[in-house]
Amino acid sequence: MFKNRQIGDTGLEVSELGFGAASLGNLYKAISDNEAQETLDAAKASGINLYDTAPRYGLGLSERRLGDALRTLPKSDYVISTKVGRILTPDHKANVKELRYGFDTPMPFDSHYDYTYDGIMRSFEDSLQRLGLAQIDILLVHDIGVDTHGEQDPYYYQQLASSGYKALDELRSQGVIKAVGLGVNETEICERVMGIGQFDCFLLAGRYSLLEQDALDTFYLNVSNTEHPLY
């Protein structure tokens, strides 16, 4: 069993070890629905209550499988986070027999970046439908930053700064969600968005581990010195 920790001042209590659901979207290879369910059953039995997914993961497949597994549980048993920044659209030409974006998924969709107010609101509503759940606890802005967008970073960053963050803050202020953050692969963008508004948490993929701890040099210090430390 795992200890729980609170995310900032959100009131959300999450297990110290969470479940990343990219594999439920058939990351690199397909798994069966039964295998996905059994994996989630094992995670729940171990005491994990934090489950993170994204529209990107299997082009909606991960969200569908995760929602199916959690739907019959009391809401108090789990905290769910998903991501915004991409919109899924039907693609009748999709070759579902080959890897797309690294996923062996049968879902006939494509994804498009959109960090605007309308794009984030649509992504949130679409995720509720795919999950088949009435509530999402945490929304993370997915893959914003130079690492993903290169020369187009200023364009997408401006979308988030000028209108996208407003959508996140609005949903949080209304109590529709409890926390907002980023789900990214670089520390620099986490530091940069602190000038946009108040973020409750950051999911830093693969950039802070036993083998890689460069994030401690600036990111941890900058976050710890803010008025509202993040945990």
Side-chain angles (χ1 to χ4, degrees):
M1 303 298 287
F2 300 98
K3 294 180 180 179
N4 284 356
R5 297 184 63 183
Q6 182 169 301
I7 297 181
D9 58 2
T10 65
L12 287 172
E13 295 279 344
V14 300
S15 51
E16 288 184 321
L17 184 65
F19 184 95
S23 60
L24 300 189
N26 291 354
L27 180 62
Y28 304 129
K29 66 177 183 178
I31 63 172
S32 68
D33 289 341
N34 284 341
E35 187 175 356
Q37 180 66 58
E38 290 171 357
T39 302
L40 286 165
D41 288 343
K44 288 181 285 186
S46 73
I48 289 174
N49 82 332
L50 173 62
Y51 299 88
D52 175 71
T53 183
R56 167 80 163 186
Y57 302 160
L59 297 169
L61 181 61
S62 174
E63 287 185 318
R64 289 173 65 93
R65 283 174 162 170
L66 185 59
D68 288 344
L70 298 179
R71 194 171 304 117
T72 59
L73 299 178
K75 181 61 186 73
S76 58
D77 284 2
Y78 63 88
V79 173
I80 187 167
S81 73
T82 192
K83 303 184 181 74
V84 293
R86 287 183 175 91
I87 299 294
L88 301 187
T89 55
D91 181 7
H92 69 279
K93 295 182 179 180
N95 186 350
V96 298
K97 301 298 184 182
E98 64 179 22
L99 288 181
R100 287 172 294 142
Y101 306 112
F103 294 91
D104 184 3
T105 175
M107 305 291 280
F109 297 94
D110 199 0
S111 67
H112 308 277
Y113 295 114
D114 192 333
Y115 299 94
T116 65
Y117 178 96
D118 289 343
I120 285 177
M121 286 298 194
R122 176 179 169 182
S123 180
F124 169 67
E125 292 166 359
D126 287 352
S127 286
L128 286 172
Q129 295 291 329
R130 284 188 294 268
L131 287 161
L133 299 174
Q135 184 177 354
I136 294 169
D137 299 296
I138 305 170
L139 280 185
L140 302 175
V141 181
H142 205 186
D143 290 340
I144 193 75
V146 176
D147 190 62
T148 298
H149 297 299
E151 293 181 354
Q152 289 188 298
D153 168 67
Y155 172 75
Y156 288 117
Y157 185 81
Q158 182 59 28
Q159 284 188 348
L160 179 64
S162 63
S163 69
Y165 176 78
K166 179 183 177 182
L168 296 170
D169 192 44
E170 188 175 295
L171 290 169
R172 180 176 53 187
S173 297
Q174 294 173 353
V176 179
I177 60 174
K178 294 183 173 64
V180 301
L182 303 188
V184 291
N185 299 295
E186 57 178 293
T187 59
E188 187 275 338
I189 187 62
C190 297
E191 299 172 26
R192 185 155 48 120
V193 297
M194 291 182 200
I196 296 177
Q198 177 64 40
F199 290 83
D200 302 296
C201 55
F202 296 128
L203 191 161
L204 191 59
R207 293 300 178 267
Y208 179 61
S209 66
L210 291 175
L211 298 178
E212 184 173 352
Q213 299 192 358
D214 291 346
L216 292 175
D217 295 339
T218 60
F219 178 56
Y220 177 78
L221 292 175
N222 285 338
V223 170
S224 298
N225 289 329
T226 61
E227 183 179 355
H228 302 288
L230 310 180
Y231 300 94

